[in-house]
Amino acid sequence: MVSLPSSCMAHTPHTAHTARAVRPAPLHSRDLRHTATAHAVLITLALAGGAVAPRGVLAQPAAQAADTARNFQVPAGPLAAALTVFAADAGISISAPPALVQNRNTPGLNGRYAVDDALVRLLAGSNLQAQAAGPGSYVLRALPVVAPGAAAGQGATLGEVRVTAQAERESAWGPAGGYVARRASTGTKTDALLVETPQSISVVTRERMDDQGVQHLGESMRYLANVRPDSGGAQNAATNVYIRGFQSADFYVDGLRYRPLGFFGMMAEEPYGVERVEVFKGPTSGLYGQSNPGGIVNLVSKQPTEYQRGQIELSPGTDRRMQLAADVSGPVNEDKTLLYRMVALGRKADAVIDHQKDDRVYLAPTHPLAARCTHQSGCAHRVPEELGTGEHQCALGGR
């Protein structure tokens, strides 16, 4: 309960003619109870001798005192009693409803503070705040209650949240998770970081090929430095690539030579079955034997996943193009010790050159030891039908 002094003395400024003092009537306990119940209690303390001066007289000194730091010694305990002592020492008035300060405590105050800072420390932990109501006058109000789930921008304080998880580790034979790959196997034939590989290697990821809408393998390398793909013209039966000015006929799939040297051995790998395209720039005979000094192209095929996934794609286009592709992968058993992946594609289309076809049938099952086959219809160089125009290649691979 906040109480007032039993008596107060008010002074008026001296004039040239008269000077008189007026003593107000004593305050009875009945009047105090009535005033506290109706509105709020005004804590008004004397600056000296228990006397209270009119507000006009105290306004300027109280305002200066609020901005001036001074020593305060207020013991810890009930908040109402502490505010009474503090208001007397600081020469200010503090107004508050009696119920607002009841059953509240303060940690006390001991040190040199300005009035505003001292009030903040006295009210710490009470869920109250002091608002200036005028020169040397303050009003106590309850802090606003923040509803659960309120936005942080509206003053809500959220509790600490700790999130722990194991980051997915990129593999040189798996998805890169974006445009930028951090690992590659072409430079060392191991799962090595690119920053630790003393070779120039460019990697085109699956995500980048999908966003580019790659339809032929050469299109995936169009934005690589020192690489000129599609040097064979408009035909799509083979992929001719120049690396550092040298024509490269050395293509590898998962580190194994993909096609034999020779004119009629050229074929175009289907980009839909490729996880990433890695271009090694520079001599590589120390790792891959006899090869072109410009470099090699290593294609990393899609590998089985430990989670179930599936994709089906329908691609119509110009030149009577119609393509249907599917990619399904996942575990065979519950222990995920046996995985599979099946990539299939069928395309029926005309090439940009008259009487040339861009048809293709592609089937790539993947297993720990699985046969990987491709079939392509058509050839860059016209061959009489009686000699056959189909090409077929199977490569036994696995890791």
Side-chain angles (χ1 to χ4, degrees):
M1 182 69 180
V2 180
S3 59
L4 289 175
S6 59
S7 63
C8 299
M9 176 74 69
H11 297 274
T12 58
H14 293 281
T15 62
H17 300 284
T18 60
R20 62 180 181 178
V22 179
R23 181 180 302 274
L27 295 178
H28 299 286
S29 59
R30 182 182 60 185
D31 299 332
L32 274 178
R33 287 194 299 269
H34 177 73
T35 304
T37 304
H39 296 289
V41 174
L42 178 64
I43 306 172
T44 308
L45 299 172
L47 291 177
V52 178
R55 177 167 300 216
V57 178
L58 293 179
Q60 184 175 358
Q64 295 176 354
D67 297 333
T68 304
R70 55 173 297 176
N71 293 322
F72 292 100
Q73 290 185 351
V74 180
L79 180 61
L83 289 175
T84 302
V85 175
F86 172 76
D89 292 343
I92 61 174
S93 64
I94 303 176
S95 301
L100 194 63
V101 295
Q102 287 181 356
N103 301 324
R104 296 181 188 268
N105 296 322
T106 177
L109 188 66
N110 187 9
R112 186 177 182 83
Y113 303 97
V115 173
D116 292 342
D117 296 337
L119 280 173
V120 172
R121 293 180 177 271
L122 278 176
L123 299 176
S126 64
N127 292 328
L128 300 178
Q129 62 180 356
Q131 295 182 351
S137 178
Y138 293 87
V139 177
L140 296 186
R141 301 185 186 278
L143 289 173
V145 179
V146 180
Q154 299 176 355
T157 302
L158 302 180
E160 181 181 4
V161 178
R162 292 179 177 267
V163 179
T164 58
Q166 183 177 1
E168 184 177 356
R169 183 180 182 274
E170 178 188 344
S171 171
W173 298 283
Y179 282 13
V180 180
R182 295 174 175 81
R183 314 182 79 91
S185 61
T186 304
T188 60
K189 292 190 175 181
T190 62
D191 188 5
L193 289 170
L194 285 172
V195 296
E196 298 177 358
T197 303
Q199 302 290 346
S200 178
I201 301 175
S202 298
V203 181
V204 181
T205 63
R206 181 73 252 171
E207 289 82 358
R208 177 173 170 179
M209 287 187 281
D210 290 339
D211 291 344
Q212 283 184 224
V214 171
Q215 298 180 3
H216 301 284
L217 185 61
E219 297 178 356
S220 64
M221 295 177 278
R222 287 179 175 176
Y223 298 98
L224 300 183
N226 298 324
V227 177
R228 183 167 70 91
D230 298 334
S231 59
Q235 56 83 22
N236 299 318
T239 302
N240 296 317
V241 181
Y242 278 79
I243 303 176
R244 291 186 174 179
F246 294 92
Q247 184 177 7
S248 174
D250 300 330
F251 276 73
Y252 290 77
V253 175
D254 298 328
L256 301 176
R257 185 177 287 272
Y258 173 61
R259 63 191 183 190
L261 296 175
F263 184 76
F264 290 101
M266 294 191 307
M267 289 186 60
E269 171 69 4
E270 173 55 46
Y272 186 74
V274 175
E275 188 66 55
R276 54 171 72 191
V277 178
E278 299 180 356
V279 180
F280 188 112
K281 303 171 186 177
T284 59
S285 59
L287 288 173
Y288 297 94
Q290 181 182 0
S291 61
N292 194 300
I296 66 170
V297 178
N298 182 37
L299 309 177
V300 179
S301 58
K302 292 181 177 179
Q303 299 298 315
T305 59
E306 294 184 353
Y307 57 91
Q308 192 69 38
R309 67 175 305 277
Q311 179 189 51
I312 186 168
E313 179 182 283
L314 178 62
S315 304
T318 58
D319 297 321
R320 297 189 296 181
R321 178 187 179 91
M322 185 62 67
Q323 175 176 296
L324 180 63
D327 182 5
V328 183
S329 178
V332 178
N333 54 1
E334 295 182 357
D335 296 336
K336 299 182 180 180
T337 56
L338 188 61
L339 309 176
Y340 78 95
R341 188 158 190 168
M342 175 66 72
V343 182
L345 179 142
R347 180 169 65 241
K348 189 75 173 178
D350 293 337
V352 295
I353 303 174
D354 292 340
H355 310 295
Q356 288 287 325
K357 298 293 184 181
D358 190 18
D359 300 341
R360 169 159 292 192
V361 176
Y362 179 83
L363 182 64
T366 306
H367 191 264
L369 281 177
R372 186 173 177 281
C373 304
T374 63
H375 181 276
Q376 177 180 350
S377 177
C379 183
H381 303 276
R382 297 182 181 179
V383 180
E385 292 185 0
E386 58 271 16
L387 297 181
T389 60
E391 292 183 355
H392 183 78
Q393 177 175 342
C394 292
L396 185 64
R399 185 176 298 110

